[in-house]
Structures are given as structure tokens and as C-alpha cells.
């Protein structure tokens, strides 16, 4: 779960929109990361996204359909440690649960990484079960997804954030409003009864939206003017 270095490759799965200071050192910054983990069977990808919390610019993207939750968690924490602010704090991490996000998140906590998103546990109707805080973002109901996605859509619409990933931006166009909330649909004519792809696809967009949620969380706790700028 600690970084050993970066190696440049034309076939590399990690994309950066930032210049590293060296193979194992990034510019000092407050960074926010979001993740949508998969089981690593090749069916759907594990996706990571990272934003510079001070500027709102996307700086990192990772997509891999063949990495296990345990290995993905080790890589995710290593990336978190690679980006540190002026006080030595690693990046703020968030990931989607349930599903593969459960063993993924458990591994992150086992490795001692603590700068993560904690939520109040909710049931399927959005009611708080207890007062305990648990790590990870729970995609438990339409309300949770709609809140996450509308915040990110607002950030894109009003240029509060900058996403330079063509693939990720194209994927946002597949999310639509239906009678039950926001869902993911394949391109083309669809209706509410169509047997198309649903919210568990569009994984890179989910990772982007979680990373933006962490940007807002960091800005809320900051003493700079950025908090007032993003609202």
C-alpha cells in the first residue's frame, strides 16, 4: 500500500494530467480520489479518479477490468500516499460499496490508511440505522446516487471542475433521468422498460463524482477561499 515509483509506458493503465517531480514524488497538493471497484473478472472495470482539491482539475485516471479488489486496494492506497499536501496528509479516499467495494475497503483500512470518507449508515429507505460512522460511499438507493450525480453534473455545468478525460466525459452522456431517478443507459433510443445497462455501469463517472464529493469535503474544512467558490 505504499508507492515505490512510477514507470512511463505507452500501454500504462494510469493516466496523469500532471507532471511528477520524480518517479516517486508528486507536486505538493491537497488531492481527492474516488473509486468504483470491480471483482476483476474482466466484466466491468475498476476505476480510480483524482482531482486537485485546490483547483478542481482532474489529474488522475485508472481503468482496469482485471485487478482483484485486494490488489486494487493496495494500488489505491499507494496512489493516495503519492499525493500529499504541505502537512504530509495523503489524499482523501472514497469508494463505492456494496459489492466488491466491501473487501476493497476492508483492505484499505487493514493497511492503516485513515484519510477516507466516512458515512452514516443508512438502510434502503435512507433512514439512519445508528450513529456509527463507516468508511465508503453507499450506493444504497436512488436518492444517494441522484445526490452524488447532480452535485458532479452541477460542477461540470458551471465549470467548477475541469475534466480533461474524453472517455470519462463521453460516459456522462449515458446517464439519464427516469421515473425512478438517474440511471445508466447505453446510447440509442431507450425507454424505462428497456433491458439496457443500469447504474452499475458508467464506472469512471461514479469514480469522478466521488472524487468531486471529496473535493467539496476538503474545501469545506479548508481556510482558503476555494470553499466559497465551489459552494
Amino acid at each position: 500500500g505504499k508507492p515505490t515509483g512510477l514507470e512511463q509506458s505507452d500501454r500504462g493503465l494510469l493516466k496523469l494530467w500532471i507532471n511528477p517531480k520524480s518517479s516517486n514524488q508528486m507536486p505538493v497538493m491537497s488531492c481527492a480520489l474516488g473509486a468504483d471497484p470491480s471483482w476483476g473478472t474482466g466484466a466491468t472495470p475498476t476505476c480510480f479518479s483524482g482531482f486537485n482539491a485546490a483547483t478542481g482539475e482532474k489529474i488522475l485516471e485508472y481503468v482496469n477490468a482485471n485487478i482483484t479488489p485486494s490488489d486494487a486496494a493496495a494500488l489505491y492506497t499507494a496512489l493516495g500516499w503519492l499525493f500529499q499536501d504541505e502537512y504530509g496528509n495523503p489524499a482523501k479516499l472514497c469508494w463505492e460499496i456494496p459489492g466488491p467495494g466491501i473487501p476493497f475497503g476492508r483492505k484499505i483500512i487493514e493497511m492503516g490508511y485513515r484519510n477516507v470518507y466516512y458515512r452514516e449508515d443508512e438502510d434502503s429507505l435512507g433512514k439512519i440505522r445508528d450513529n456509527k460512522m463507516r468508511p465508503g460511499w453507499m450506493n444504497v438507493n436512488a436518492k444517494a446516487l441522484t445526490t452524488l450525480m447532480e452535485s458532479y453534473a452541477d460542477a461540470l455545468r458551471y465549470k467548477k471542475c475541469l475534466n480533461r478525460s474524453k472517455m470519462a466525459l463521453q460516459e456522462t452522456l449515458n446517464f439519464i433521468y427516469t421515473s425512478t431517478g438517474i440511471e445508466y443507459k447505453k446510447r440509442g433510443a431507450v425507454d424505462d422498460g428497456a433491458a439496457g445497462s443500469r447504474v452499475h455501469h458508467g464506472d469512471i463517472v461514479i469514480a469522478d463524482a466521488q472524487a468531486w464529493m471529496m473535493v467539496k469535503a476538503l474545501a469545506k474544512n479548508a481556510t482558503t477561499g476555494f470553499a466559497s467558490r465551489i459552494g
Side-chain angles (χ1 to χ4, degrees):
K2 293 294 179 66
T4 57
L6 297 171
E7 180 178 336
Q8 188 169 348
S9 171
D10 292 337
R11 296 187 296 175
L13 298 176
L14 176 66
K15 297 178 182 178
L16 296 175
W17 288 270
I18 188 173
N19 291 317
K21 296 177 68 175
S22 68
S23 64
N24 60 1
Q25 187 178 17
M26 289 291 179
V28 174
M29 71 175 68
S30 178
C31 187
L33 300 183
D36 190 340
S38 74
W39 292 111
T41 61
T44 59
T46 287
C47 297
F48 303 155
S49 173
F51 281 78
N52 182 332
T55 66
E57 295 175 273
K58 182 173 177 176
I59 58 172
L60 177 155
E61 182 175 281
Y62 176 83
V63 180
N64 185 357
N66 297 289
I67 184 170
T68 66
S70 180
D71 288 344
L75 176 60
Y76 195 46
T77 57
L79 290 172
W81 282 112
L82 193 61
F83 292 89
Q84 297 186 29
D85 65 16
E86 59 183 314
Y87 304 107
N89 299 312
K92 182 90 168 181
L93 305 187
C94 185
W95 60 90
E96 181 189 31
I97 53 176
I102 294 177
F104 177 84
R106 185 180 299 120
K107 185 68 173 180
I108 289 173
I109 300 303
E110 286 176 357
M111 288 187 291
Y113 202 102
R114 292 295 181 267
N115 192 16
V116 304
Y117 170 75
Y118 287 91
R119 74 187 189 283
E120 292 181 312
D121 199 24
E122 298 180 351
D123 61 22
S124 60
L125 298 177
K127 183 179 179 180
I128 303 298
R129 287 195 179 102
D130 52 45
N131 293 322
K132 293 181 180 180
M133 303 297 288
R134 294 174 172 84
W137 172 73
M138 177 71 82
N139 191 359
V140 67
N141 52 40
K143 176 184 175 183
L145 181 63
T146 299
T147 299
L148 179 79
M149 297 300 288
E150 285 190 334
S151 175
Y152 177 51
D154 177 79
L156 290 173
R157 183 179 300 113
Y158 296 106
K159 299 181 181 180
K160 298 177 182 179
C161 72
L162 177 61
N163 189 337
R164 294 186 173 94
S165 171
K166 181 178 180 180
M167 176 191 70
L169 290 176
Q170 286 178 334
E171 274 293 278
T172 64
L173 302 178
N174 291 333
F175 283 87
I176 65 172
Y177 283 95
T178 69
S179 59
T180 57
I182 293 179
E183 295 184 358
Y184 180 89
K185 297 285 187 179
K186 292 181 180 179
R187 289 187 180 90
V190 296
D191 56 40
D192 286 345
S197 300
R198 294 175 66 85
V199 295
H200 53 281
H201 295 288
D203 310 281
I204 188 58
V205 183
I206 298 294
D208 283 339
Q210 288 179 79
W212 178 250
M213 182 172 68
M214 294 303 93
V215 169
K216 294 185 69 175
L218 288 169
K220 184 177 180 181
N221 295 325
T223 57
T224 66
F226 185 55
S228 61
R229 190 168 86 240
I230 69 168

Short mmCIF file of all heavy atoms in Angstrom, two decimals, residues 16 112 213:
data_model
loop_
_atom_site.label_atom_id
_atom_site.label_comp_id
_atom_site.label_asym_id
_atom_site.label_seq_id
_atom_site.Cartn_x
_atom_site.Cartn_y
_atom_site.Cartn_z
N LEU A 16 -2.12 10.45 -16.15
CA LEU A 16 -1.90 11.62 -15.31
C LEU A 16 -1.99 12.89 -16.14
O LEU A 16 -1.44 12.95 -17.24
CB LEU A 16 -0.54 11.56 -14.63
CG LEU A 16 -0.28 10.43 -13.64
CD1 LEU A 16 1.17 10.47 -13.16
CD2 LEU A 16 -1.23 10.51 -12.46
N GLY A 112 -3.98 0.43 7.22
CA GLY A 112 -3.74 1.57 8.09
C GLY A 112 -4.01 2.93 7.48
O GLY A 112 -3.65 3.95 8.07
N MET A 213 -16.95 14.79 -4.77
CA MET A 213 -17.55 14.87 -3.45
C MET A 213 -16.46 15.07 -2.39
O MET A 213 -16.64 15.82 -1.42
CB MET A 213 -18.35 13.60 -3.15
CG MET A 213 -19.06 13.59 -1.79
SD MET A 213 -20.18 12.19 -1.58
CE MET A 213 -19.02 10.83 -1.52
#
